């Protein structure tokens, strides 16, 4: 005997979304108006449309797709014609072999499924999304005039079908022509929608490789024909205000574009290479820097220490780590916390990445000798409470920053070192007197970014014992721990990870470390003193995040250094 399919109302009552009384009310309304109960529930305001859609997916044993978090595979967007997408409200999601996964809004719309199978001549697997979110997604992203695949296709078609191919190609390949504008705008829009932090346009011998960096990892997009290289790079230069004629030396620019009803800034860098200029667009997301300290990824004890340190009246707080480790985001989060009407904050940056209301931001410009050191000296005459120096690059900047800290200012800055204790020896190696380092530094924090396990496909797994050993886990420590990883889904693009947070190593200056500093002690001695004072290393903080199922052992081992532990 076939198993009875649960009714939609029963599922929602079981989940506690609605009451049985509300379901009865919706049923009466549905019968009266000739609509389905799901539409009645949402129309009467008794249930949220997403809850109804999730219940429908459960009722028909389908996968539910949350389009607020979903990553659509760009290469499949052109597989369903525009008129079908708009008329029947469907969207291709991904392709797995011969099977095309398609988002629909009504599991009982068999006519649409028949049309898709007939028109596409392929196997269809359907997933469910709410009508409102799918319509908004299609309008905003997938079927706008900036679809990358369509732009490339139209550009190639306009050339190949032309009677006068040479004349048509010259016209289509003009950096100000509509096809090139659509293609470049499409690449940028697509990268923003996929949560990328960078866009890499890299000329190769016979193609142009485009990659998006998502959650710190580069993902290759479909290659672009070599003949489009010049127009694409020129279009990016025009948009960013870079001189088209200058191709011999590195150049920089900036783009501001309206994407999905918000203004997005891009920092553009052009670098001459063997096969042509490589262009990188760094996507600047103000909301990332303004999310606040709570979203950085601190454990509760480190958060308390961080809050205490940034509210001190003077001294230097350094954040260290390699490029792309989130140092600027951390410092801006601290400034957002401190940005109050009773505090004057001035920054010296190269370049200014995010604009903040209430903060005086100065852009370094070496061409007119407006250097970090010059801005810093001028800052001190502006009577600030808090100063941010984008980076301590040399002895001159270090000495002015220390002078500011010793004269009653709170100074934030960054330094490129592998860990927190190394910042002490780096400053001394620059030529700063040890007693000045000991008396001005309040704390040093090293950080890295680790990818987060995708919440939608998280499942238990057992990491490689060798990996756990390298990370310093002891057998008795992990015997009762359930490790989690992402198996890969559409939400995370099959990677098992979605989003990133920091792991931290915070060293506060104390009497013992100050004594070692003034005595030119070795880095190992400073590190041991910091550990004795309670400093948790990057590796140890990462291990806590593995135990708490925030990240994985495989991710941590690629990020941190386990110098004392070696693979067998």
């Amino acid at each position: 005997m076939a198993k009875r399919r649960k009714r939609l109302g029963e599922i929602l009552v079981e989940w506690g979304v609605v009451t049985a009384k509300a379901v009865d009310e919706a049923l009466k309304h549905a019968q009266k108006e000739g609509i389905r109960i799901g539409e009645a529930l949402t129309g009467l305001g008794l249930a949220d449309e997403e809850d109804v859609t999730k219940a429908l997916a459960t009722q028909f044993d389908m996968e539910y797709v949350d389009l607020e978090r979903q990553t659509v595979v760009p290469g499949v967007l052109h597989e369903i014609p525009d008129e079908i997408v708009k008329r029947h409200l469907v969207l291709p999601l991904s392709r797995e072999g011969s099977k095309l996964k398609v988002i629909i809004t009504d599991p009982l719309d068999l006519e649409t499924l028949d049309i898709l199978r007939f028109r596409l001549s392929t196997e269809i697997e359907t997933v469910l999304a709410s009508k409102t979110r799918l319509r908004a997604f299609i309008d905003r992203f997938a079927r706008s005039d900036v679809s990358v695949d369509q732009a490339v296709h139209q550009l190639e078609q306009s050339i190949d079908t032309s009677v006068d191919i040479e004349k048509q190609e010259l016209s289509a390949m003009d950096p100000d022509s509509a096809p090139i504008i659509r293609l470049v705008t499409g690449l940028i829009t697509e990268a923003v929608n996929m949560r990328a932090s960078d866009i890499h346009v890299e000329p190769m011998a016979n193609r142009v490789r485009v990659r998006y960096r998502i959650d710190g990892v580069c993902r290759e997009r479909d290659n672009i024909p070599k003949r489009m290289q010049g127009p694409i790079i020129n279009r990016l230069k025009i948009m960013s205000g870079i001189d088209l004629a200058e191709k011999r030396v590195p150049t920089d620019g900036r783009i501001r574009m309206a994407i999905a009803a918000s203004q997005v800034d891009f920092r553009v860098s052009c670098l001459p290479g063997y096969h042509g200029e490589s262009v990188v667009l760094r996507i600047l997301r103000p909301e990332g820097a303004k999310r606040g300290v709570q979203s950085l990824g601190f454990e509760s004890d480190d958060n308390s220490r961080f809050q205490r340190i940034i509210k001190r009246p003077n001294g230097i707080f350094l954040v260290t780590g390699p490029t792309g480790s989130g140092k600027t985001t951390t410092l801006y989060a601290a400034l957002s916390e401190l940005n109050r009407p009773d505090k004057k904050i001035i920054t010296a940056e190269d370049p200014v990445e995010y604009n903040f209301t209430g903060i005086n931001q100065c852009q370094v410009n070496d061409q007119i000798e407006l250097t970090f050191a010059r801005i810093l000296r001028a800052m001190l005459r502006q009577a600030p409470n808090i100063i941010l120096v984008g980076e301590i690059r040399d002895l001159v900047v270090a000495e002015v920053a220390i002078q500011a800290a010793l004269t009653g200012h709170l100074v934030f800055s960054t330094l490129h070192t592998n860990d927190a204790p190394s910042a002490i020896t780096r400053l001394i190696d620059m030529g700063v007197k040890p007693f000045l380092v000991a008396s001005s530094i309040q704390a040093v924090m090293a950080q890295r970014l680790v990818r987060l396990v995708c919440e939608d496909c998280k499942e238990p797994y057992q990491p490689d014992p060798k990996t756990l050993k390298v990370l310093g886990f002891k057998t008795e420590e992990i015997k009762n721990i359930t490790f989690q990883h992402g198996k890969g889904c559409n939400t995370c693009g099959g990677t098992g990870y979605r989003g990133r947070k920091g792991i931290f190593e915070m060293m506060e200056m104390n009497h013992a470390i100050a004594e070692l500093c003034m005595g030119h002690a070795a880095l190992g001695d400073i590190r041991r003193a910091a550990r004795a004072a309670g400093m948790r290393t990057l590796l140890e903080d990462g291990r806590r995040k593995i135990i708490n199922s925030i990240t994985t052992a495989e991710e941590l081992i690629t990020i941190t250094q386990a110098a004392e532990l070696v693979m067998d």
Side-chain angles (χ1 to χ4, degrees):
M1 183 176 176
K3 184 180 176 182
R4 185 181 74 87
R5 179 179 286 156
K6 281 189 177 181
R7 292 174 178 166
L8 184 68
E10 290 176 358
I11 296 170
L12 290 169
V13 170
E14 281 182 10
W15 291 356
V17 174
V18 296
T19 62
K21 184 179 178 181
V23 171
D24 290 338
E25 182 185 345
L27 275 170
K28 291 175 184 175
H29 181 74
Q31 290 168 357
K32 181 182 176 182
E33 299 295 328
I35 58 177
R36 293 179 184 171
I37 185 172
E39 295 173 299
L41 285 166
T42 55
L44 293 172
L46 298 173
D48 181 80
E49 187 182 10
E50 294 306 309
D51 288 329
V52 171
T53 306
K54 289 176 187 176
L56 275 172
T58 301
Q59 184 184 23
F60 288 91
D61 195 24
M62 296 175 66
E63 179 186 343
Y64 164 77
V65 172
D66 182 357
L67 285 169
E68 292 291 314
R69 306 177 62 211
Q70 186 65 43
T71 300
V72 175
V73 177
V76 303
L77 287 175
H78 66 282
E79 293 207 18
I80 299 180
D82 279 355
E83 68 273 11
I84 294 180
V85 167
K86 292 172 182 174
R87 185 184 306 155
H88 297 282
L89 206 61
V90 295
L91 187 72
L93 179 64
S94 63
R95 178 174 280 284
E96 297 171 6
S98 61
K99 186 185 294 182
L100 181 66
K101 189 174 282 190
V102 178
I103 305 173
I104 63 172
T105 61
D106 184 357
L108 295 174
D109 188 359
L110 302 179
E111 183 184 350
T112 295
L113 294 180
D114 288 339
I115 291 171
L116 287 174
R117 291 189 181 99
F118 177 75
R119 289 289 298 270
L120 304 179
S121 299
T122 188
E123 188 179 352
I124 301 291
E125 179 186 345
T126 55
V127 296
L128 206 61
S130 69
K131 190 173 291 186
T132 300
R133 285 193 180 173
L134 181 56
R135 184 177 285 115
F137 191 92
I138 290 170
D139 290 344
R140 289 165 56 204
F141 303 145
R143 294 293 160 170
S144 65
D145 289 335
V146 294
S147 168
V148 175
D149 297 289
Q150 282 190 328
V152 173
H153 178 69
Q154 289 170 5
L155 191 55
E156 292 281 21
Q157 197 174 45
S158 68
I159 295 169
D160 294 341
T161 59
S162 171
V163 176
D164 189 344
I165 293 178
E166 185 176 352
K167 182 178 178 182
Q168 182 70 15
E169 181 167 355
L170 287 172
S171 174
M173 291 300 184
D174 189 301
D176 289 322
S177 72
I180 288 294
I181 291 173
R182 279 199 301 271
L183 176 56
V184 172
T185 306
L187 287 170
I188 294 172
T189 304
E190 182 178 85
V192 171
N193 295 337
M194 292 179 70
R195 303 180 301 105
S197 60
D198 302 273
I199 306 169
H200 299 261
V201 181
E202 302 162 316
M204 314 292 280
N206 55 3
R207 61 192 172 97
V208 179
R209 182 170 69 176
V210 178
R211 296 190 290 175
Y212 302 151
R213 188 180 296 277
I214 301 171
D215 293 335
V217 178
C218 283
R219 297 190 199 174
E220 187 166 341
R221 209 212 175 280
D222 293 340
N223 294 312
I224 291 174
K226 181 70 174 177
R227 59 180 171 175
M228 297 184 189
Q229 173 181 317
I232 288 172
I233 291 173
N234 284 343
R235 180 62 196 166
L236 289 169
K237 283 186 164 186
I238 290 169
M239 294 172 72
S240 55
I242 296 174
D243 184 3
L244 292 179
E246 186 54 81
K247 299 180 180 179
R248 301 164 299 170
V249 297
T251 50
D252 297 292
R254 202 173 180 109
I255 297 172
R256 168 166 281 199
M257 275 181 63
I259 297 175
S262 63
Q263 292 292 327
V264 181
D265 286 328
F266 303 83
R267 198 172 72 212
V268 183
S269 171
C270 297
L271 180 68
Y274 185 75
H275 294 296
E277 290 178 282
S278 171
V279 182
V280 176
L281 286 76
R282 166 64 60 89
I283 303 173
L284 306 175
R285 302 177 185 272
E287 68 277 5
K290 296 176 182 178
R291 286 181 304 180
V293 172
Q294 300 298 329
S295 65
L296 296 177
F298 285 120
E299 300 292 338
S300 57
D301 53 346
D302 275 344
N303 183 52
S304 300
R305 293 169 71 193
F306 183 80
Q307 294 282 358
R308 187 179 71 251
I309 291 165
I310 67 173
K311 288 169 183 172
R312 290 179 182 175
N314 56 59
I316 296 179
F317 179 56
L318 289 174
V319 179
T320 76
T323 301
S325 59
K327 301 187 298 295
T328 302
T329 299
T330 296
L331 289 180
Y332 274 134
L335 291 187
S336 295
E337 192 91 358
L338 301 171
N339 188 14
R340 301 289 182 271
D342 61 333
K343 300 286 185 184
K344 178 161 185 175
I345 303 174
I346 305 180
T347 74
E349 304 170 65
D350 184 20
V352 173
E353 294 194 0
Y354 308 108
N355 295 315
F356 279 77
T357 303
I359 296 179
N360 302 276
Q361 296 173 271
C362 300
Q363 168 87 43
V364 170
N365 188 340
D366 291 325
Q367 292 182 347
I368 58 172
E369 297 184 0
L370 187 61
T371 60
F372 273 121
R374 190 170 180 182
I375 293 173
L376 272 171
R377 292 191 186 98
M379 277 183 183
L380 298 180
R381 296 192 291 272
Q382 294 276 314
N385 301 101
I386 299 163
I387 294 171
L388 168 66
V389 184
E391 182 184 346
I392 294 179
R393 295 177 176 174
D394 52 41
L395 176 60
V396 176
V397 176
E399 286 181 333
V400 179
I402 288 171
Q403 179 190 348
L406 295 176
T407 53
H409 304 87
L410 180 61
V411 179
F412 293 100
S413 191
T414 69
L415 203 61
H416 288 281
T417 63
N418 287 327
D419 58 13
S422 298
I424 302 294
T425 54
R426 174 65 58 85
L427 289 171
I428 294 172
D429 288 344
M430 279 184 183
V432 180
K433 294 180 174 59
F435 78 90
L436 289 176
V437 175
S439 57
S440 62
I441 299 292
Q442 292 285 349
V444 181
M445 186 175 78
Q447 71 174 71
R448 301 289 190 278
L449 293 176
V450 294
R451 291 184 292 171
L452 308 179
V453 176
C454 175
E455 291 294 330
D456 285 5
C457 61
K458 182 185 286 188
E459 66 176 13
Y461 87 117
Q462 184 55 47
D464 182 0
K466 189 180 288 187
T467 301
L468 294 176
K469 181 182 177 183
V470 169
L471 292 174
F473 283 106
K474 295 180 173 57
T475 306
E476 61 275 10
E477 179 185 5
I478 61 174
K479 62 182 180 181
N480 295 321
I481 294 173
T482 301
F483 295 97
Q484 303 261 357
H485 77 157
K487 65 179 180 180
C489 65
N490 289 318
T491 301
C492 60
T495 64
Y497 300 96
R498 184 178 174 89
R500 291 191 294 173
K501 281 192 177 179
I503 56 173
F504 304 94
E505 176 179 289
M506 197 175 306
M507 182 187 78
E508 288 189 78
M509 183 66 75
N510 59 21
H511 180 73
I513 297 173
E515 287 283 335
L516 290 169
C517 179
M518 288 188 285
H520 290 269
L523 175 59
D525 294 333
I526 296 174
R527 184 179 289 113
R528 279 188 287 274
R531 294 291 304 278
M535 181 188 82
R536 184 168 53 247
T537 65
L538 288 166
L539 197 59
E540 290 167 339
D541 193 38
R543 285 206 296 258
R544 289 216 297 187
K545 287 179 167 60
I546 292 172
I547 291 170
N548 294 331
S549 300
I550 294 171
T551 190
T552 65
E554 291 77 12
E555 172 69 6
L556 182 62
I557 206 165
T558 65
I559 300 299
T560 59
Q561 293 188 8
E564 71 282 4
L565 299 166
V566 182
M567 280 278 195
D568 294 333

